Amino acid sequence: MALAACTLLIGVSMMQSCKDDDTILTGQPDWLGNSIYERLQDDGNYTYMLRLIDDGGQREVLSRTGSKTLFVADDAAFNAWFKGNDWGVTRYEDLSSAQKTLLLNNSMIDNAYLIELLSNLPVSGSRPLAGMCMRRNTATSVYDSITVLKASDMPTASPNTESWDYVRNRPGGIYIVRDNSAAPMIHFLPAFMRTNKISGSDLEILTNGVSTSIEDAWVNGKRVEESDITCKNGYIQKVGGVIESAQNMADIIRNHKNMSRWSQLLDRFSAPYYIGSYSSLNIDSLFELRYFADISARGKNQYTPGDQTVEPKPVSATLKFDPGWNGYYNYGSSSINSIGPDAAVMIVPSDEAMNHWWEHDGRVLQEKYGSWDSIPQLVLSKLLNVNMLTSFVESVPSKFESVLDDAKMEMGIKPEHIDSCFMGCNGVVYLTNRVFAPREYSSVSFPALIHQDLMSVIYWAMSDEKLSFGPYLNSMDTYYSLFLPSDSAMVNYIDPVSYGETRQILWQFYYDKTATTKQRVKARRYYVTLDPETGEYSMDGYIGLAQSSESGSANNDPVRNRLDDMLNTLIVVGNVEDGHQYYRTKGGSMVRVKDAGVENVMTVEGGLQQENGTPLTVRTIYDQSTTGNGKSYLIDGGIVQGASKSVYQTLSEHEEMKTFLDLLSGNDEDSTKYNLLINTSGNYHCTNYQSNYNIRLFEKFNYTVYVPTNESIQELIDRKYLPTWDDYDAQTEEVWDGNEEKAR
């Protein structure tokens, strides 16, 4: 007993030695003081806290030997709280049993912690990491927050809220928990702020101007006014206000009057999920509120309660993370997978800022859809996600310059944009006076985003993370001309691998709404034969189905590999309406543009279209150049593709280039020794090698060949400036007296 009393607080890394031998014999050092409950009684200023303890059945627990940390508000703080709080409670007697439980349990940790050690992060099998913890679990249970949600409080019947329909008409509403995990405590402590380079100016914004000193300790938004009051069963930490139930970010946004528009948009990504019946709680059906999100409890949540994939579009209409997940952590971002080291951030524009943006910069959405409720989930998710940041410690105001948007560029948020700040159990909400829209809304890819009925396949390719075209096309530092093939055009892709073959391979890409997100783009493949007279292909046998892969690199995925090649040919860095006809694509091939800028008249040809005499007509021009980064051109007759013919084949088809080809070819029958032509090379090979050749000097680079006319070459030959292969053949051993070395 004596040893146990002496080392009571070892569990919190506080090793205290006994004062003297008499202390060992009596079993209680005099510095321990009374129990937590007795200490509060003796002080006389904590009658409300004592009533909470009594009504919550915790008197015995906090009166005997144990290990607790209790954050307490005195009577003056409670009296101030009763004059104005979010619960609308004006006196203690009006508190429900559930509210009393929340107030007590949110203020208690089931371990004894000094303030300076509260920021130590426990690591299994290792020493705690000093200054690395900002969140930890309290005594709160998930069942402390069970509420009844009535039909009138459920998201209204706007797009995708049909997930609520199966519970909407239940008499009396449903029992629901905001999240199926207990709400942790969030604390900003000196050691943590120093370790993560959080400055006094950061703290001033985080505390809405109350504090500028990182030597202050903050717990759930309340400053610790007196710390480390030592008791025989733990510590009392006095805070400057009543710690209410710890809201998550979704709850903060839902309950704030000036965030109502953003809250309504978030609601469209929510759904109630059945989690069981609890006879001990007299509940036959308990539901959990979750959001469709990439980072969520128990993994990515992209399925409705009816087990349907969320809006079957090229990229699932999901949020970056679940704002209602109390136990949020960005799993996979570090080796420490726990709630302790970090939290999330949500940048939420005020209702006034949203209304102003809707009438100005967001007017393109208003003109397209008419109302917020008519915006598709996929389009809306872009706006919400760019304002959802996965790391709080990397997104404090002093680090705003490193906050990036969907184009991987500086987002542009500044401290003066922050109206106020709210600390939640899973992150921090910044209420802002302006809207930060995604770059994609101004990008040349935007027309494909809002016209999913026309361009679902190519948008999937542009959005695919493995292909990485999204940030590239969203860059506002470059002017792009982007050719967008419609879904009907995507069935006419000739595989470049089959160029030169007698039978070529046709890919017919299509979008499968029933497949998983990463396997939705597939392609049927056929052998086809080209009619040289008409430039048309005829089917010559089915090969099989190709589909995008869940794993592996883009190079090992045939579908992504072909889409990557395609997109590189569809992008021109520059303006194709500047008066020229020929432009180089991102992939290095050339395209020819005629009658630029006129819908249904403008045509574009890649090398393949020029070879076959099949120019593609631009049906619609989308001008994103005023506020964005260029123009997009819808084509539906086919896909812009590079040339299929080699330099050798092109030269062979033009009599005016014959003399130049003769110089390249020579009379070396096996084409392995002297001339510049070869059947294969280190990087490319000619498929129809009996009648086709590579140029020996050409490797990975993109070359331009300037071909002199027959007449100009002949003039050099006639003037003896340029030898021919006949001149070379005439140099025999006999001519050089058998001296082969001299002949060389």
Side-chain angles (χ1 to χ4, degrees):
M1 288 295 294
L3 181 59
C6 181
T7 60
L8 172 65
L9 302 178
I10 287 179
V12 293
S13 303
M14 178 183 175
M15 296 290 291
Q16 297 280 2
S17 61
C18 297
K19 187 175 181 180
D20 51 36
D21 292 341
D22 291 337
T23 299
I24 297 177
L25 294 175
T26 59
Q28 178 174 309
D30 56 14
W31 51 265
L32 276 178
N34 296 324
S35 68
I36 292 174
Y37 190 88
E38 292 168 334
R39 183 61 182 266
L40 295 177
Q41 278 185 319
D42 293 343
D43 190 282
N45 292 317
Y46 297 97
T47 56
Y48 289 116
M49 284 301 304
L50 290 170
R51 292 175 73 179
L52 286 176
I53 294 170
D54 290 341
D55 292 347
Q58 296 295 309
R59 178 171 183 169
E60 183 179 357
V61 172
L62 294 175
S63 296
R64 62 184 180 180
T65 301
S67 184
K68 301 286 185 179
T69 302
L70 187 65
F71 296 85
V72 300
D74 62 18
D75 291 342
F78 267 95
N79 288 329
W81 184 74
F82 284 129
K83 292 179 181 179
N85 56 74
D86 293 336
W87 292 356
V89 177
T90 58
R91 58 178 188 159
Y92 183 87
E93 289 73 19
D94 293 336
L95 288 169
S96 67
S97 296
Q99 289 172 330
K100 293 176 183 178
T101 300
L102 283 172
L103 287 175
L104 177 61
N105 288 346
N106 276 316
S107 302
M108 185 163 55
I109 297 176
D110 291 331
N111 252 319
Y113 284 96
L114 292 167
I115 281 294
E116 66 179 87
L117 299 181
L118 199 61
S119 60
N120 285 359
L121 180 68
V123 179
S124 179
S126 182
R127 296 185 62 183
L129 299 177
M132 289 293 289
C133 187
M134 69 174 292
R135 290 194 298 156
R136 64 180 63 251
N137 291 320
T138 66
T140 304
S141 164
V142 63
Y143 304 113
D144 292 341
S145 61
I146 294 177
T147 58
V148 175
L149 188 67
K150 297 181 179 180
S152 58
D153 297 321
M154 296 178 186
T156 55
S158 60
N160 213 56
T161 54
E162 63 269 15
S163 296
W164 287 88
D165 291 345
Y166 80 113
V167 298
R168 198 180 299 277
N169 297 322
R170 291 199 171 206
I174 61 173
Y175 287 101
I176 194 167
V177 290
R178 293 299 185 185
D179 182 58
N180 198 17
S181 63
M185 171 182 289
I186 185 168
H187 46 65
F188 299 138
L189 306 175
F192 174 81
M193 290 187 279
R194 287 192 292 269
T195 299
N196 289 281
K197 296 179 173 59
I198 297 175
S199 66
S201 59
D202 291 330
L203 191 61
E204 183 177 12
I205 293 176
L206 293 171
T207 62
N208 299 308
V210 176
S211 175
T212 60
S213 173
I214 64 170
E215 298 306 315
D216 288 341
W218 290 82
V219 177
N220 276 19
K222 308 300 179 184
R223 179 161 51 188
V224 177
E225 296 184 342
E226 187 177 353
S227 61
D228 305 334
I229 302 171
T230 307
C231 303
K232 67 181 180 182
N233 58 346
Y235 293 105
I236 294 173
Q237 313 288 357
K238 181 184 177 183
V239 292
V242 176
I243 295 178
E244 298 181 21
S245 59
Q247 298 184 89
N248 56 48
M249 290 182 289
D251 285 337
I252 290 173
I253 296 168
R254 181 182 299 108
N255 295 325
H256 197 288
K257 294 180 180 179
N258 205 13
M259 301 183 194
S260 60
R261 171 59 67 189
W262 203 260
S263 180
Q264 291 167 5
L265 301 183
L266 284 176
D267 281 345
R268 290 175 52 183
F269 294 82
S270 68
Y273 294 81
Y274 175 79
I275 57 176
S277 60
Y278 296 84
S279 57
S280 60
L281 301 173
N282 198 27
I283 295 176
D284 60 350
S285 297
L286 182 62
F287 295 85
E288 171 193 9
L289 176 63
R290 296 185 68 192
Y291 290 79
F292 310 126
D294 295 336
I295 301 175
S296 178
R298 301 180 297 282
K300 181 176 181 177
N301 182 31
Q302 61 177 355
Y303 296 100
T304 68
D307 207 29
Q308 298 295 313
T309 304
V310 178
E311 190 175 346
K313 296 295 183 183
V315 180
S316 281
T318 53
L319 301 177
K320 188 179 294 184
F321 55 78
D322 185 337
W325 180 24
N326 293 334
Y328 166 87
Y329 68 93
N330 188 9
Y331 42 74
S333 64
S334 72
S335 59
I336 305 173
N337 289 329
S338 74
I339 65 171
D342 209 347
V345 167
M346 292 190 71
I347 300 170
V348 180
S350 67
D351 289 346
E352 293 90 341
M354 290 289 282
N355 292 335
H356 182 271
W357 183 82
W358 183 249
E359 295 296 335
H360 295 85
D361 291 347
R363 195 165 185 81
V364 63
L365 293 181
Q366 184 181 152
E367 292 173 351
K368 169 66 178 174
Y369 300 111
S371 68
W372 283 104
D373 283 348
S374 299
I375 301 176
Q377 298 296 98
L378 180 60
V379 179
L380 185 59
S381 68
K382 305 296 181 178
L383 174 62
L384 296 174
N385 283 337
V386 79
N387 290 279
M388 301 179 76
L389 312 178
T390 57
S391 172
F392 163 75
V393 297
E394 297 299 330
S395 308
V396 294
S398 62
K399 301 177 184 178
F400 277 168
E401 289 185 356
S402 65
V403 175
L404 306 180
D405 59 18
D406 54 324
K408 308 302 182 187
M409 300 174 65
E410 186 177 337
M411 187 171 182
I413 184 172
K414 300 182 183 300
E416 55 263 33
H417 296 142
I418 306 300
D419 176 83
S420 49
C421 178
F422 303 87
M423 300 181 189
C425 68
N426 59 351
V428 172
V429 176
Y430 294 125
L431 177 64
T432 62
N433 55 29
R434 60 161 293 181
V435 174
F436 296 92
R439 303 282 179 140
E440 188 168 356
Y441 281 6
S442 302
S443 166
V444 288
S445 65
F446 184 63
L449 169 64
I450 63 176
H451 293 290
Q452 291 298 299
D453 55 329
L454 292 176
M455 295 174 272
S456 59
V457 175
I458 199 63
Y459 184 73
W460 183 94
M462 289 189 293
S463 302
D464 186 68
E465 292 182 356
K466 292 183 179 179
L467 295 179
S468 301
F469 281 94
Y472 177 83
L473 290 172
N474 291 340
S475 171
M476 296 295 125
D477 293 335
T478 305
Y479 187 102
Y480 295 108
S481 296
L482 175 65
F483 299 103
L484 292 172
S486 66
D487 287 344
S488 61
M490 294 294 291
V491 300
N492 294 305
Y493 178 76
I494 301 299
D495 194 337
V497 173
S498 66
Y499 280 177
E501 296 281 6
T502 304
R503 290 195 306 172
Q504 296 181 341
I505 298 175
L506 174 73
W507 289 58
Q508 293 188 337
F509 290 95
Y510 68 98
Y511 189 79
D512 183 358
K513 293 182 179 180
T514 65
T516 63
T517 304
K518 295 181 180 179
Q519 292 181 319
R520 286 180 181 164
V521 170
K522 301 178 181 179
R524 302 180 185 93
R525 295 174 297 167
Y526 299 86
Y527 285 118
V528 292
T529 302
L530 175 67
D531 185 334
E533 298 295 327
T534 64
E536 296 180 353
Y537 293 90
S538 59
M539 296 290 188
D540 199 15
Y542 179 66
I543 300 174
L545 182 70
Q547 65 182 23
S548 51
S549 173
E550 291 280 1
S551 59
S553 66
N555 288 333
N556 295 327
D557 184 331
V559 170
R560 284 187 172 89
N561 182 276
R562 301 309 189 274
L563 290 172
D564 180 71
D565 174 77
M566 183 190 304
L567 278 167
N568 279 308
T569 307
L570 295 172
I571 300 169
V572 172
V573 180
N575 185 359
V576 297
E577 298 183 21
D578 64 1
H580 296 84
Q581 281 196 10
Y582 289 94
Y583 300 89
R584 187 182 299 279
T585 69
K586 178 178 181 293
S589 62
M590 301 296 294
V591 295
R592 185 181 188 183
V593 176
K594 293 183 179 179
D595 300 311
V598 184
E599 293 182 348
N600 294 312
V601 176
M602 177 181 176
T603 61
V604 59
E605 300 169 273
L608 189 65
Q609 283 76 42
Q610 284 190 287
E611 292 170 359
N612 298 336
T614 55
L616 303 172
T617 301
V618 173
R619 300 303 182 194
T620 308
I621 300 174
Y622 304 98
D623 189 353
Q624 299 290 107
S625 61
T626 303
T627 59
N629 60 357
K631 289 186 179 182
S632 304
Y633 303 88
L634 176 65
I635 52 178
D636 56 18
I639 302 170
V640 179
Q641 290 195 245
S644 68
K645 294 179 181 178
S646 66
V647 172
Y648 174 82
Q649 288 175 304
T650 302
L651 293 174
S652 299
E653 293 174 356
H654 293 269
E655 183 62 31
E656 68 272 21
M657 302 180 186
K658 183 179 183 303
T659 305
F660 181 76
L661 177 60
D662 290 343
L663 290 177
L664 292 179
S665 304
N667 60 357
D668 187 5
E669 294 183 359
D670 60 4
S671 185
T672 59
K673 191 173 183 181
Y674 299 127
N675 65 33
L676 297 179
L677 300 180
I678 189 171
N679 289 121
T680 60
S681 70
N683 297 290
Y684 306 100
H685 69 278
C686 296
T687 52
N688 192 357
Y689 60 87
Q690 293 181 341
S691 60
N692 201 357
Y693 294 91
N694 284 319
I695 294 183
R696 191 187 300 270
L697 296 179
F698 292 1
E699 287 292 329
K700 293 182 178 180
F701 301 103
N702 190 291
Y703 292 87
T704 299
V705 181
Y706 294 94
V707 181
T709 63
N710 292 339
E711 293 76 15
S712 61
I713 295 178
Q714 189 59 51
E715 180 182 357
L716 293 176
I717 293 174
D718 293 343
R719 297 175 65 180
K720 305 299 182 181
Y721 291 156
L722 181 66
T724 66
W725 283 105
D726 289 338
D727 295 330
Y728 177 84
D729 290 339
Q731 307 305 311
T732 63
E733 293 184 15
E734 289 77 11
V735 172
W736 291 89
D737 298 325
N739 190 338
E740 184 176 352
E741 190 64 30
K742 185 177 181 181
R744 289 181 183 279

